[in-house]
Amino acid sequence: MKEVRTRFAPSPTGYMHIGNLRTGLYAYLLAKKYGGKFILRIEDTDQERYVEGAVDVIYNVLKLTGLKHDEGPDIGGDYGPYVQSERRDIYKKYAEELIELGGAYYCFCSKEEIASAREKHNMLKDGPFRYNDPCKKLSKEEARERIENGESYVYRQRIPQIGTTTFKDEVFGEITIENSTLDESVLLKSDGLPTYNFANVIDDHLMKISHVCRGVEYLSSTPKYNILYNAFGWEIPEYIHLPHITKEGGKKLSKREGDASFDDFYNKGYLVDAIINYIALLGWNPGGEREIFNLKELEEAFSIEGLSKSSAMFDIKKLNWLNGEYIRKMTVDEFHEKALPYYKKAIKNPNIDLHKVSELLHVRTEVLCDIPEQIDFLEELPEYDTDLYVHKKMKTNYENSLENLKVAYDVLESLDTWNHDEINNCLMDSIKRLGIKNGQMLWPVRTALSGKKFTPGGAIEIADILGKAESLRRIKVGIDKLENR
């Protein structure tokens, strides 16, 4: 088997879209699976969409995710330059060669002429538009004379009018397209920069790419790429076209529509390992029931055979669950380090033991960005309605909540030592003495301490964290609320 060489070729147009990252991940995994090379190439020929700083975003995402490239603009390699705008002379050379081979021609038509032809075609509603370019009939000598006279021109691909083009995709199988349905795309623009349709073929060949991973939206253009390969007499790489990632309702995720990027998830506190694990499962089935894989395990398990033709739906609930599983695999100390920045957003009180908060949240957290809202009550008791004290399942109402809060206040006030065990023993003894259900005591106390319907942890854990003075003050507030409702 020849060396496997894959490439990740993002455009520096902003943030790293989840679909783009999945393409890069699969290309990386395929290369590592077979001991090959993973190449980074920057496709910046669309200068109108170029965003300053976007190349740094690409480098940063690859570094964070551990997708280490073997060749690229920052580290070099034998097949550079690895930035398309630095390869302008290369594309010009091969465009001229393609003219000589009969696979392309010079086109002098203006945008207005082509737009007019398209408009007339659309009025007739006669199938897909295919521009009947009069420049195809020009001899090379006539065309070059017009170029010497200063006319603006582009290089356009020449596609056979008859016959079919067949190619094999590793995911979608063998596909045959009628040549008459293919438009003759611009290969090299008047500014000397190539279009994607040309640059990707030239670069993939010269960089010896063996497997091309890209989105399914390029499937319909692949016959045109093969016609170019055949015109040059070059070996065609193996194609792996990846299905769309969609959101609920079937609409595909789109960077242009503002759908979440890798950075969005990372900045919300999703763990990198969880993001990569989840993205790997969007379109790839490892077989069996296992769903949790670190990057090294993905390198060993990944296979082309596991890729699906069907679109993959991005399920945020599934990502949240998976992220929670990764959080629970951490030690409490590791979790504490990750959670600390989020604690500081909600808690300013230096008397709150944040390590105790971590012990409470470690097994209860799915996404780190949820932490401030979960624990804001520790900083300040929110205003709340006494209806919170009424809970059918806990068998509490206004009356017994008031009675049991008064009991809790008295027994807790008498404690000399304030810790989890002492608080627990104190309240449990009172529950036993009164002959009531646990919830009839603990629900009112938890409500008084938090002012919330839902909290991470119950009455005893919260009281331990708040400390004696603050716990008693809050219980007193609860008693006053119930007495004055």
Side-chain angles (χ1 to χ4, degrees):
M1 183 180 180
K2 68 176 183 181
E3 182 183 39
V4 171
R5 288 177 58 85
T6 65
R7 46 79 163 173
F8 181 39
S11 299
T13 55
Y15 62 70
M16 180 68 75
H17 180 243
I18 290 298
N20 287 351
L21 183 55
R22 183 189 65 171
T23 299
L25 173 62
Y26 286 175
Y28 169 87
L29 294 177
L30 185 62
K32 297 307 164 187
K33 172 85 172 183
Y34 296 105
K37 296 288 173 58
F38 174 59
I39 292 91
L40 174 64
R41 187 170 76 217
I42 303 298
E43 298 197 340
D44 63 343
T45 55
D46 190 346
Q47 292 293 301
E48 290 182 3
R49 294 180 61 212
Y50 179 85
V51 174
E52 196 68 41
V55 173
D56 291 332
V57 170
I58 293 167
Y59 289 142
N60 187 52
V61 171
L62 292 180
K63 183 178 179 181
L64 282 172
T65 55
L67 305 185
K68 186 178 180 182
H69 49 286
D70 301 293
E71 300 170 25
D74 53 336
I75 58 176
D78 295 336
Y79 303 96
Y82 293 91
V83 178
Q84 284 188 337
S85 59
E86 298 173 10
R87 299 171 63 83
R88 193 183 298 236
D89 292 343
I90 296 173
Y91 304 127
K92 177 78 170 179
K93 171 192 168 187
Y94 282 99
E96 284 293 334
E97 183 176 327
L98 195 59
I99 293 280
E100 295 300 323
L101 292 168
Y105 59 93
Y106 302 107
C107 172
F108 301 89
C109 298
S110 67
K111 290 180 180 179
E112 291 74 21
E113 287 175 296
I114 298 171
S116 175
R118 184 186 297 275
E119 188 177 339
K120 289 177 183 176
H121 173 85
N122 290 342
M123 288 175 65
L124 296 172
K125 297 180 180 178
D126 187 24
F129 175 68
R130 191 176 193 270
Y131 184 51
N132 187 17
D133 195 333
C135 299
K136 282 192 292 188
K137 298 175 183 177
L138 294 173
S139 68
K140 283 180 283 191
E141 291 71 28
E142 289 175 302
R144 284 169 179 156
E145 184 178 341
R146 291 176 66 171
I147 292 170
E148 287 175 9
N149 291 333
E151 286 193 52
S152 178
Y153 68 99
V154 298
Y155 292 78
R156 196 176 286 276
Q157 183 175 8
R158 189 187 296 275
I159 289 178
Q161 300 290 308
I162 59 173
T164 60
T165 297
T166 298
F167 69 96
K168 181 191 175 189
D169 180 77
E170 295 300 319
V171 177
F172 290 88
E174 191 171 278
I175 297 173
T176 299
I177 300 291
E178 294 285 338
N179 291 337
S180 60
T181 65
L182 302 174
D183 64 315
E184 297 187 315
S185 305
V186 172
L187 302 178
L188 208 63
K189 295 176 282 189
S190 57
D191 61 3
L193 283 172
T195 60
Y196 175 85
N197 289 330
F198 191 52
N200 88 88
V201 170
I202 302 301
D203 292 342
D204 286 344
H205 171 73
L206 295 180
M207 294 180 186
K208 300 188 184 301
I209 302 303
S210 63
H211 295 73
V212 173
C213 295
R214 61 183 169 220
V216 70
E217 60 269 25
Y218 293 106
L219 197 63
S220 61
S221 298
T222 301
K224 293 195 286 188
Y225 308 149
N226 277 20
I227 290 171
L228 286 173
Y229 278 110
N230 289 333
F232 282 115
W234 293 343
E235 183 179 357
I236 296 171
E238 293 188 40
Y239 295 122
I240 302 166
H241 286 89
L242 306 173
H244 291 308
I245 301 174
T246 64
K247 45 195 172 186
E248 278 191 67
K251 197 171 184 181
K252 75 170 185 172
L253 287 182
S254 169
K255 178 163 65 175
R256 296 185 188 185
E257 290 194 10
D259 289 317
S261 68
F262 169 83
D263 282 327
D264 290 331
F265 287 112
Y266 180 71
N267 292 332
K268 285 179 181 177
Y270 287 84
L271 303 179
V272 171
D273 288 348
I275 299 171
I276 288 297
N277 191 159
Y278 181 66
I279 290 174
L281 300 175
L282 289 174
W284 171 67
N285 187 340
E289 299 298 317
R290 184 180 175 188
E291 293 185 289
I292 297 178
F293 298 83
N294 62 33
L295 187 59
K296 187 66 180 174
E297 290 166 339
L298 285 171
E299 291 174 17
E300 296 170 359
F302 184 76
S303 68
I304 295 173
E305 293 74 25
L307 294 173
S308 171
K309 296 179 185 178
S310 304
S311 296
M313 192 183 85
F314 193 95
D315 183 350
I316 192 67
K317 292 180 181 177
K318 180 70 174 287
L319 174 58
N320 289 350
W321 169 81
L322 193 61
N323 199 68
E325 291 296 305
Y326 272 89
I327 285 175
R328 284 182 279 281
K329 287 171 70 175
M330 294 176 166
T331 65
V332 175
D333 286 341
E334 289 169 339
F335 171 74
H336 180 75
E337 187 177 338
K338 291 281 187 184
L340 208 50
Y342 298 89
Y343 294 158
K344 291 177 179 178
K345 292 179 181 180
I347 298 176
K348 311 298 180 188
N349 185 350
N351 296 319
I352 298 293
D353 187 335
L354 296 179
H355 283 279
K356 286 185 177 180
V357 177
S358 288
E359 289 172 3
L360 195 64
L361 289 180
H362 180 216
V363 297
R364 295 176 170 92
T365 300
E366 283 195 334
V367 185
L368 296 175
C369 66
D370 293 340
I371 287 175
E373 188 178 354
Q374 288 181 299
I375 64 170
D376 55 1
F377 71 91
L378 294 173
E379 177 70 13
E380 183 178 356
L381 180 66
E383 188 57 46
Y384 65 94
D385 195 290
T386 52
D387 287 348
L388 279 179
Y389 286 101
V390 180
H391 195 294
K392 186 176 180 181
K393 186 178 178 182
M394 297 295 177
K395 297 184 170 22
T396 60
N397 52 43
Y398 300 118
E399 292 74 21
N400 63 16
S401 290
L402 177 58
E403 291 170 10
N404 293 328
L405 275 185
K406 288 180 176 179
V407 172
Y409 185 92
D410 290 339
V411 295
L412 290 172
E413 187 183 33
S414 67
L415 283 179
D416 294 324
T417 303
W418 192 269
N419 60 41
H420 182 280
D421 290 343
E422 291 295 326
I423 298 165
N424 180 74
N425 293 338
C426 174
L427 292 178
M428 289 302 170
D429 286 347
S430 297
I431 290 167
K432 187 175 181 181
R433 176 169 51 81
L434 294 171
I436 60 175
K437 300 287 187 183
N438 288 1
Q440 289 177 300
M441 174 68 76
L442 298 179
W443 181 264
V445 173
R446 190 204 63 82
T447 301
L449 293 175
S450 69
K452 285 193 162 189
K453 189 174 183 179
F454 302 107
T455 56
I460 295 162
E461 292 89 352
I462 295 170
D464 180 33
I465 290 170
L466 287 173
K468 183 175 181 178
E470 180 62 12
S471 295
L472 292 176
R473 186 190 74 80
R474 293 188 181 196
I475 292 172
K476 184 67 169 63
V477 169
I479 292 171
D480 292 344
K481 276 180 172 287
L482 288 167
E483 286 183 333
N484 298 301
R485 69 177 180 87

